Coordinates of all heavy atoms in Angstrom, one line a residue:
L31 N -1.7 20.7 18.9 CA -1.5 19.2 19.0 C 0.0 19.0 19.1 O 0.5 18.1 20.0 CB -2.0 18.5 17.8 CG -1.8 17.0 17.7 CD1 -2.4 16.3 19.0 CD2 -2.2 16.4 16.4
N32 N 0.8 19.6 18.4 CA 2.3 19.5 18.5 C 2.8 19.8 19.8 O 3.5 19.0 20.5 CB 3.0 20.5 17.5 CG 4.3 20.0 17.0 OD1 5.0 19.2 17.7 ND2 4.8 20.7 16.1
R33 N 2.3 20.9 20.4 CA 2.7 21.3 21.8 C 2.2 20.3 22.8 O 2.9 19.9 23.7 CB 2.2 22.7 22.1 CG 2.7 23.3 23.3 CD 2.1 24.7 23.5 NE 0.7 24.9 23.4 CZ 0.1 25.5 22.3 NH1 0.9 26.0 21.3 NH2 -1.2 25.6 22.2
T34 N 1.0 19.8 22.7 CA 0.4 18.8 23.6 C 1.1 17.5 23.6 O 1.5 17.0 24.7 CB -1.1 18.6 23.2 OG1 -1.8 19.9 23.4 CG2 -1.7 17.6 24.2
V35 N 1.4 17.0 22.5 CA 2.1 15.7 22.3 C 3.6 15.8 22.9 O 4.0 15.0 23.6 CB 2.1 15.1 20.9 CG1 3.1 14.0 20.8 CG2 0.7 14.8 20.4
R36 N 4.3 16.9 22.6 CA 5.6 17.2 23.1 C 5.6 17.2 24.6 O 6.4 16.6 25.3 CB 6.3 18.4 22.5 CG 6.7 18.3 21.0 CD 7.1 19.6 20.5 NE 7.2 19.6 19.0 CZ 8.3 19.6 18.3 NH1 9.5 19.5 18.9 NH2 8.3 19.5 17.0
T37 N 4.6 18.0 25.2 CA 4.5 18.1 26.6 C 4.2 16.8 27.3 O 4.9 16.4 28.2 CB 3.3 19.1 27.0 OG1 3.7 20.4 26.4 CG2 3.2 19.2 28.5
L38 N 3.3 16.0 26.7 CA 3.0 14.7 27.3 C 4.2 13.8 27.2 O 4.5 13.0 28.1 CB 1.8 14.1 26.5 CG 0.5 14.7 26.8 CD1 -0.6 14.1 25.9 CD2 0.1 14.5 28.3
F39 N 4.9 13.9 26.1 CA 6.1 13.0 25.9 C 7.1 13.3 27.0 O 7.7 12.4 27.6 CB 6.6 13.2 24.5 CG 7.9 12.4 24.2 CD1 7.8 10.9 24.3 CD2 9.1 12.9 23.8 CE1 8.9 10.2 24.0 CE2 10.1 12.2 23.5 CZ 10.1 10.9 23.6
I40 N 7.4 14.6 27.2 CA 8.4 15.1 28.2 C 7.9 14.6 29.6 O 8.7 14.1 30.4 CB 8.6 16.6 28.1 CG1 9.2 17.0 26.8 CG2 9.5 17.0 29.3 CD1 10.6 16.3 26.5
E41 N 6.7 14.7 29.9 CA 6.2 14.3 31.1 C 6.4 12.8 31.3 O 6.8 12.3 32.4 CB 4.7 14.6 31.3 CG 4.4 16.1 31.6 CD 4.9 16.5 33.0 OE1 4.7 15.8 33.9 OE2 5.5 17.6 33.0
Y42 N 6.1 12.0 30.2 CA 6.3 10.7 30.3 C 7.8 10.2 30.6 O 8.1 9.4 31.4 CB 5.8 10.0 29.0 CG 6.3 8.5 28.8 CD1 5.5 7.6 29.4 CD2 7.4 8.2 28.0 CE1 6.0 6.2 29.3 CE2 7.7 6.8 27.9 CZ 7.1 5.8 28.5 OH 7.4 4.6 28.4
L43 N 8.6 10.9 29.9 CA 10.1 10.6 30.1 C 10.6 11.0 31.4 O 11.4 10.3 32.0 CB 10.9 11.5 29.0 CG 10.9 11.0 27.6 CD1 11.7 12.0 26.7 CD2 11.4 9.6 27.5
L50 N 12.2 2.7 30.6 CA 11.8 2.8 29.2 C 11.9 1.4 28.5 O 12.7 0.5 28.9 CB 12.7 3.7 28.4 CG 12.7 5.2 28.8 CD1 13.8 6.0 28.2 CD2 11.3 5.8 28.7
P51 N 10.9 1.1 27.7 CA 10.9 -0.2 27.0 C 12.1 -0.4 26.1 O 12.7 0.6 25.6 CB 9.7 -0.1 26.1 CG 9.2 1.3 26.0 CD 9.8 2.0 27.2
D53 N 12.5 -1.2 23.1 CA 12.3 -0.7 21.7 C 11.9 0.8 21.7 O 11.4 1.3 20.7 CB 11.3 -1.6 20.9 CG 9.9 -1.5 21.5 OD1 9.8 -1.1 22.7 OD2 9.0 -2.0 20.9
F54 N 12.3 1.5 22.7 CA 12.0 2.9 22.8 C 12.6 3.7 21.6 O 11.9 4.7 21.2 CB 12.6 3.5 24.2 CG 12.0 4.9 24.4 CD1 10.8 5.0 24.8 CD2 12.9 5.9 24.3 CE1 10.3 6.3 25.1 CE2 12.5 7.2 24.6 CZ 11.2 7.4 24.9
H55 N 13.6 3.3 21.1 CA 14.2 4.0 20.0 C 13.2 4.1 18.7 O 13.1 5.1 18.0 CB 15.5 3.4 19.5 CG 15.4 2.0 18.9 ND1 15.2 0.9 19.7 CD2 15.4 1.6 17.6 CE1 15.1 -0.1 19.0 NE2 15.2 0.2 17.7
L56 N 12.4 3.0 18.6 CA 11.4 3.1 17.6 C 10.2 4.1 17.9 O 9.8 4.8 17.0 CB 10.7 1.7 17.5 CG 11.6 0.5 17.1 CD1 10.9 -0.8 17.1 CD2 12.1 0.8 15.7
Y57 N 10.0 4.2 19.2 CA 9.0 5.3 19.6 C 9.5 6.7 19.2 O 8.8 7.6 18.8 CB 8.7 5.3 21.1 CG 8.1 4.0 21.6 CD1 7.9 3.8 23.0 CD2 7.8 2.9 20.8 CE1 7.4 2.7 23.5 CE2 7.2 1.7 21.3 CZ 7.1 1.6 22.7 OH 6.5 0.5 23.2
L58 N 10.8 6.9 19.5 CA 11.4 8.2 19.2 C 11.4 8.5 17.7 O 11.2 9.6 17.4 CB 12.9 8.2 19.7 CG 13.1 8.2 21.2 CD1 14.6 8.1 21.6 CD2 12.5 9.5 21.8
D59 N 11.7 7.4 16.9 CA 11.6 7.6 15.5 C 10.3 8.1 15.0 O 10.1 9.0 14.2 CB 12.0 6.4 14.7 CG 13.6 6.1 14.8 OD1 14.3 7.1 15.2 OD2 13.9 5.0 14.5
D60 N 9.3 7.3 15.5 CA 7.9 7.6 15.1 C 7.5 9.1 15.6 O 6.8 9.8 14.8 CB 6.9 6.6 15.7 CG 7.1 5.2 15.1 OD1 7.8 5.1 14.0 OD2 6.6 4.3 15.7
L61 N 7.8 9.3 16.8 CA 7.4 10.7 17.3 C 8.2 11.8 16.5 O 7.6 12.8 16.3 CB 7.7 10.8 18.8 CG 6.7 10.1 19.7 CD1 7.1 10.0 21.1 CD2 5.3 10.8 19.6
S62 N 9.5 11.6 16.3 CA 10.2 12.6 15.4 C 9.5 12.8 14.1 O 9.4 14.0 13.7 CB 11.6 12.0 15.3 OG 12.3 12.9 14.5
N63 N 9.1 11.7 13.4 CA 8.4 11.9 12.2 C 7.1 12.6 12.4 O 6.7 13.4 11.5 CB 8.2 10.6 11.6 CG 9.4 9.9 11.0 OD1 10.3 10.6 10.6 ND2 9.6 8.6 11.0
L64 N 6.4 12.3 13.5 CA 5.1 13.0 13.7 C 5.4 14.5 14.0 O 4.6 15.4 13.4 CB 4.4 12.4 14.9 CG 3.1 13.1 15.4 CD1 2.1 13.1 14.4 CD2 2.6 12.5 16.7
F65 N 6.4 14.9 14.8 CA 6.6 16.3 15.0 C 7.1 17.0 13.7 O 6.7 18.1 13.4 CB 7.8 16.4 16.1 CG 7.4 15.9 17.4 CD1 8.4 15.3 18.2 CD2 6.2 16.1 17.9 CE1 8.0 14.8 19.5 CE2 5.8 15.6 19.2 CZ 6.7 15.0 19.9
I66 N 7.8 16.4 12.8 CA 8.2 17.0 11.6 C 6.9 17.2 10.8 O 6.7 18.3 10.2 CB 9.1 16.0 10.8 CG1 10.6 16.0 11.5 CG2 9.3 16.5 9.3 CD1 11.5 14.9 11.0
L67 N 5.9 16.2 10.7 CA 4.7 16.3 10.0 C 3.9 17.5 10.5 O 3.4 18.4 9.8 CB 4.0 15.1 10.0 CG 2.6 15.2 9.4 CD1 2.6 15.4 7.9 CD2 1.8 13.9 9.7
L68 N 3.8 17.6 11.9 CA 3.0 18.6 12.5 C 3.6 20.0 12.3 O 2.9 21.0 12.1 CB 2.8 18.3 14.0 CG 1.9 17.2 14.4 CD1 2.0 16.9 15.9 CD2 0.5 17.4 13.9
D69 N 5.0 20.1 12.3 CA 5.6 21.3 12.0 C 5.3 21.8 10.6 O 4.9 23.0 10.3 CB 7.1 21.2 12.2 CG 7.6 21.2 13.6 OD1 6.8 21.6 14.5 OD2 8.7 20.7 13.8
K70 N 5.3 20.9 9.6 CA 5.0 21.3 8.2 C 3.5 21.6 8.0 O 3.2 22.6 7.4 CB 5.3 20.1 7.3 CG 6.8 19.9 7.1 CD 7.2 18.8 6.2 CE 8.7 18.7 6.2 NZ 9.2 17.6 5.3

Side-chain angles (χ1 to χ4, degrees):
L31 177 61
N32 201 346
R33 188 175 51 252
T34 299
V35 173
R36 288 176 196 252
T37 300
L38 289 172
F39 181 60
I40 296 301
E41 284 294 316
Y42 169 78
L43 285 178
L50 296 174
D53 59 350
F54 189 71
H55 66 283
L56 297 174
Y57 301 177
L58 288 176
D59 288 345
D60 291 346
L61 284 171
S62 177
N63 289 330
L64 176 62
F65 293 143
I66 291 167
L67 174 64
L68 290 172
D69 287 340
K70 289 180 181 181

